[in-house]
Amino acid sequence: MKNDFIEKYGTWALITGASSGLGVEFAHQLAAKGLNLILVARRKHLLDELALQLVEKYKIQCQVVEADLTLDNFQHTLMNAIADIDVGLLVNNAGMNCEGQFYRGSLDRNLQMLELNTRAPYILAYEFGKKFIERGRGGIIFTSSISAFNAHPFLSHYAATKAYILSLAESMNYEFKEKNVDVIALCPGMTKSEMTKGMKDGPLLMEAAPVVKTAIDNLGKTAYVIPGFINKTQVFFNSRILNRSGATHFTGALLKKVLPAANKKKPSK
Ligand SMILES: NC(=O)c1ccc[n+]([C@@H]2O[C@H](COP(=O)([O-])OP(=O)(O)OC[C@H]3O[C@@H](n4cnc5c(N)ncnc54)[C@H](OP(=O)(O)O)[C@@H]3O)[C@@H](O)[C@H]2O)c1
């Protein structure tokens, strides 16, 4: 049977941050479409377990690559490990956060976040984008965040990294369209994953499955996508109803109320 998704994006996808949260969900949904997968993260035992499940359930092939994407030259190790695989879809999903007052996270942790959330996805998009353009087809999914749309006091640096990703993805979407390469930024609000572990369940916290489905369904259709009515409304309010300063004040006041880390003054490691 003809599989349009595979015709467009080839038979192999690479997912970063595949050991938990949204990355695991990307792996299941892409495997269900028949794609073979390269699973990338640091915790190899989790990737190995996931690979076993995927191979058994979807009858696909899986390759696990243990990699720390904050390391200098991580791309050489990664590219060497998959040199003989023709990747057609890149899911630039790995990320971390650092929340609370500006000086709560140490400089080291913040620099690690900068590297993981911006440098690594840029390098991978650069390397794979070149191959996709040469081939005349392919796709790149970036995981950004709704925090990308306006300034977020108490989530300042994280939101800035996600704004970088959104801007990069939108520009690449425009430039790559005529090369038949699809680029999209997924902009989730709070979603169940290790990142939100311990957060109270409620309408603000989405399941990973519909979040990931929104990205996959909209690849090739839009430059960015916001999953969920509440998240869409929040972005609309902050970017269309309020001006930039109003959005900063509103978001700051809200996060000061709801983020426990916003009220802790002691620097964290
Ligand atoms: N959950 C939310 O509410 C939410 C909202 C908006 C956006 N996002 C974004 O969604 C993406 C996925 O996050 P998640 O929510 O699924 O969180 P998660 O469950 O914590 O997953 C993060 C993933 O990134 C990987 N990772 C972390 N540090 C790494 C490193 N140095 N090198 C390689 N991989 C690394 C982790 O694997 P290892 O620890 O095994 O390396 C894990 O697989 C992130 O970009 C995040 O910013 C999440």
Side-chain angles (χ1 to χ4, degrees):
M1 202 177 73
K2 193 167 161 275
N3 182 328
D4 289 343
F5 202 83
I6 287 185
E7 290 227 331
K8 185 78 211 273
Y9 303 113
T11 51
W12 281 89
L14 183 148
I15 305 169
T16 67
S19 61
S20 69
L22 295 176
V24 171
E25 191 54 43
F26 268 115
H28 277 279
Q29 293 193 23
L30 292 175
K33 285 189 176 294
L35 270 79
N36 301 314
L37 300 174
I38 300 164
L39 307 172
V40 182
R42 292 167 306 177
R43 288 170 295 174
K44 185 171 180 303
H45 65 286
L46 294 180
L47 298 178
D48 285 338
E49 272 170 36
L50 176 63
L52 275 177
Q53 284 174 24
L54 296 170
V55 168
E56 165 101 19
K57 186 166 176 192
Y58 304 101
K59 314 292 175 222
I60 58 152
Q61 298 176 58
C62 262
Q63 177 149 341
V64 160
V65 182
E66 179 184 0
D68 183 338
L69 303 179
T70 67
L71 295 181
D72 277 354
N73 298 325
F74 78 84
Q75 70 270 28
H76 300 314
T77 324
L78 179 53
M79 293 310 211
N80 281 341
I82 59 163
D84 53 351
I85 299 180
D86 197 16
V87 173
L89 177 65
L90 166 66
V91 184
N92 249 332
N93 166 74
M96 60 182 276
N97 71 352
C98 203
E99 59 191 38
Q101 297 193 4
F102 191 79
Y103 287 110
R104 238 181 78 73
S106 67
L107 182 59
D108 279 352
R109 185 172 161 82
N110 272 284
L111 290 177
Q112 201 186 357
M113 179 173 73
L114 189 62
E115 277 157 14
L116 182 66
N117 292 10
T118 61
R119 180 177 175 272
Y122 168 75
I123 290 174
L124 291 178
Y126 185 94
E127 296 292 353
F128 283 104
K130 223 177 344 183
K131 291 182 200 292
F132 297 165
I133 285 175
E134 272 166 22
R135 186 193 300 141
R137 67 183 168 93
I140 303 177
I141 299 174
F142 288 93
T143 309
S144 176
S145 158
I146 53 167
S147 68
F149 291 91
N150 64 279
H152 274 57
F154 307 111
L155 209 58
S156 55
H157 190 201
Y158 174 79
T161 66
K162 293 301 178 181
Y164 168 92
I165 289 298
L166 176 59
S167 174
L168 182 70
E170 285 185 277
S171 303
M172 287 179 71
N173 171 282
Y174 185 92
E175 286 190 40
F176 283 30
K177 203 171 287 183
E178 62 184 38
K179 315 279 186 200
N180 202 32
V181 176
D182 298 331
V183 182
I184 193 169
L186 167 66
C187 301
M190 284 196 296
T191 307
K192 287 183 191 168
S193 74
E194 285 186 6
M195 197 177 268
T196 52
K197 205 166 50 187
M199 241 172 219
K200 251 202 260 152
D201 222 342
L204 283 179
L205 194 59
M206 283 185 74
E207 296 289 339
V211 170
V212 164
K213 186 172 183 321
T214 309
I216 293 174
D217 288 352
N218 284 285
L219 182 60
K221 295 182 185 155
T222 56
Y224 70 87
V225 71
I226 303 166
F229 177 74
I230 295 179
N231 295 327
K232 281 192 185 75
T233 308
Q234 189 177 323
V235 171
F236 182 81
F237 183 68
N238 276 328
S239 52
R240 303 276 175 85
I241 307 286
L242 299 176
N243 60 23
R244 281 185 76 80
S245 153
T248 306
H249 281 86
F250 174 74
T251 306
L254 186 72
L255 291 182
K256 192 159 172 52
K257 228 176 173 165
V258 303
L259 266 187
N263 296 298
K264 289 185 187 146
K265 293 202 176 60
K266 217 171 133 224
S268 60
K269 293 275 172 233

